[in-house]
Amino acid sequence: MAKTIYVINGPNLNLLGTREPGIYGRFTLADVEKLCRDRAKDLGFEIEFRQSNREGEIVDFLQEARARQAAGVALNPAGYTTTSVAILDAILAIELPVIEVHITNIHAREEFRRHSYVSKAAKAVICGFGIEGYALAISGLAALTEKRG
Ligand code: CA2
């Protein structure tokens, strides 16, 4: 049975492609989902694709990934990146590789976006590649999974 990778998106990412195209581009979250499914399929993985505007629901998704023995998680915590100790604690608790993804280069934007609680527990961080960053995270998780046997 193909191993599953969770792709979890935080608040407001449901608006992708409909607002602020100058910052986040014209691709929608449905386009991101298709990109993730295509890359995962090429690599022999399946995708659980989630989005929530609620912090606790993101914690629930992370715990679900653990319970379902997922290979790992690609997580764009969006606005919770800079504030959420609860999401940090969930990542520490689930003991799965979590790749933090940001569409934009958070280091080239406002100073407050640079601090990430999630980075303290993430296996790796990808930012600035646009939505291609999600595909890179899936490739990285697939490589890690192969390495671990
Ligand atoms: O670059 C990213 O992926 C971010 O995680 C996006 C977050 C932002 O708070 C982070 O600093 C960087 C914002 C997501 C909001 O998404 C929108 C998409 C379209 C229109 C408005 C918001």
Side-chain angles (χ1 to χ4, degrees):
M1 200 179 69
K3 271 271 201 185
T4 301
I5 291 171
Y6 272 65
V7 179
I8 301 175
N9 292 281
N12 297 306
L13 285 164
N14 53 312
L15 299 178
L16 260 190
T18 68
R19 305 266 199 292
E20 300 192 73
I23 299 175
Y24 297 110
R26 295 201 176 274
F27 292 106
T28 65
L29 198 61
D31 295 325
V32 175
E33 180 170 357
K34 184 174 180 332
L35 175 73
C36 291
R37 290 195 189 286
D38 288 351
R39 177 62 58 92
K41 195 173 172 202
D42 287 348
L43 297 168
F45 286 77
E46 284 174 358
I47 293 291
E48 282 290 340
F49 195 88
R50 304 290 169 84
Q51 189 273 332
S52 179
N53 293 328
R54 284 170 282 280
E55 186 176 18
E57 197 169 18
I58 294 169
V59 170
D60 289 342
F61 293 158
L62 288 163
Q63 292 184 9
E64 181 188 308
R66 160 82 177 170
R68 292 185 50 189
Q69 299 183 319
V73 179
L75 170 64
N76 185 344
Y80 289 133
T81 308
T82 57
T83 62
S84 183
V85 175
I87 292 174
L88 168 63
D89 285 343
I91 295 168
L92 291 169
I94 64 173
E95 296 176 325
L96 290 177
V98 173
I99 313 297
E100 179 180 349
V101 178
H102 298 283
I103 295 166
T104 60
N105 178 357
I106 54 174
H107 301 288
R109 299 183 63 190
E110 301 96 325
E111 187 66 29
F112 71 85
R113 294 189 195 277
R114 300 189 64 183
H115 172 261
S116 168
Y117 279 106
V118 170
S119 294
K120 295 182 186 301
K123 181 81 183 168
V125 182
I126 296 170
C127 74
F129 275 105
I131 67 167
E132 182 62 24
Y134 289 86
L136 293 171
I138 289 163
S139 296
L141 286 166
L144 281 176
T145 306
E146 269 175 30
K147 209 170 101 186
R148 285 188 309 182

